[in-house]
Amino acid sequence: MILRRRSFLMGAAAPLLAQSSGDTIPTAIIGIGGRGTGLLDGILKQPNAKVVMVCDNKPDRLDKAATTAAKSNPKATADWQRVIDNKDVQAVYIATPPHLHAEMAIAALKAGKHVYCEKPIGLTPSSIRDLMAAAKASGKVFQAGQQLRSMVQLNDAIRKIQDGVIGDILFVKAQRHASADLKYDGSSGDWYFDLKKSGGYLVEQSVHNLDLCNWVIGNHPTRAAGFGGINLHKNEPAGRDIYDHQNLIYDYPNGVTLSFTQLVYHPRNMPAGNQYVNVYGSKGSVELMGSMNFYSSDGTQQTLLSPKVEENPDAHTVAFFSAIQKGTPNPADINVGATGALTAILGNEVCRQGKVLQWSDLGVKV
């Protein structure tokens, strides 16, 4: 079933029962690597949250997190199930390697906890289907870590595009290019290069970019085709099975097409690198991840579509606790998390199977 445009853009309705705005929400975090550390810092800044548990299976990370949150005197554990079993914990952040996201999120939701789950919310269609069912049955807030959805400038720009500033959306060209592979001996080297644990660059990282494309188009794709492989980093590190490049085409309703590339060997000093999303419309086009400029089709007009603002780096966390306490709109609900992850998974599958695949082939209704 195709998502209704307004629902897809804005997220789901508020949770069934919002907590009193005066309550302090006892919060735990599972996974305190690079991303988890940033999330922990953001939680500690929230006056309506208190970190009561920190969890990681690496002792150095656990000790560091406990020290960082010492003012809250949190319990520290290497066993994530203890977080789920703690009835005092009302909200859980999950920032582990991706293959653990869905299992942990489902357990937390079934235990009656609100969940902030880093992207991607799952690595397989079946795990995402199960998580969707758990989230919708729980009556709790589930928010995916698609933090672009909380950026003020992007929200303003996409609202204007959806209101017709560029006319009908016809085509989107986007990319996520890096200048180097991830460090093999880095903190994520023990899981990142295993497809079953990370999903590879497309699912673990480019899910942000693909979600942004879905967002501006106002829908998820109906089918995809593409190619990918390992051209440069063959068997680096040993046993690697994630791609170092992919070239994808996604078809959307009403004839809209997305052309997306990702690779990890684009030299820093070579033009047209890094990330961009160019949206082409019947009246003109917008450089959505760069200048935010609108260019008219006849070449006579170049204007700033949306002015730059000072973004709050913790805006997504602010939105999560606001949704819990005040019932405010959730910027990245379970449908947003699911469509983003499934779009990336579809991209991987067309490359691996070597054929065009339909969205319906994933077997998940969103």
Side-chain angles (χ1 to χ4, degrees), residues 254-293:
N254 300 321
V256 180
T257 298
L258 163 64
S259 172
F260 186 85
T261 62
Q262 70 89 29
L263 54 83
V264 293
Y265 42 79
H266 190 124
R268 291 184 184 277
N269 58 344
M270 184 177 179
N274 206 4
Q275 306 174 61
Y276 66 74
V277 174
N278 293 340
V279 186
Y280 298 86
S282 57
K283 295 180 181 178
S285 305
V286 174
E287 188 183 14
L288 192 58
M289 285 194 80
S291 65
M292 288 285 185
N293 282 341

Side-chain angles (χ1 to χ4, degrees), residues 107-130:
L109 289 165
K110 288 185 175 180
K113 305 180 191 306
H114 304 287
V115 173
Y116 181 115
C117 183
E118 261 308 322
K119 53 72 209 168
I121 65 168
L123 293 185
T124 65
S126 60
S127 68
I128 292 171
R129 182 174 57 244
D130 292 345

Side-chain angles (χ1 to χ4, degrees), residues 33-34 58 61 97 182-194 198 204:
K58 295 184 177 181
R61 291 180 176 179
L182 213 65
K183 291 183 178 180
Y184 303 144
D185 60 352
S187 60
S188 301
D190 57 346
W191 57 268
Y192 199 95
F193 300 95
D194 183 341
S198 72
E204 211 281 335

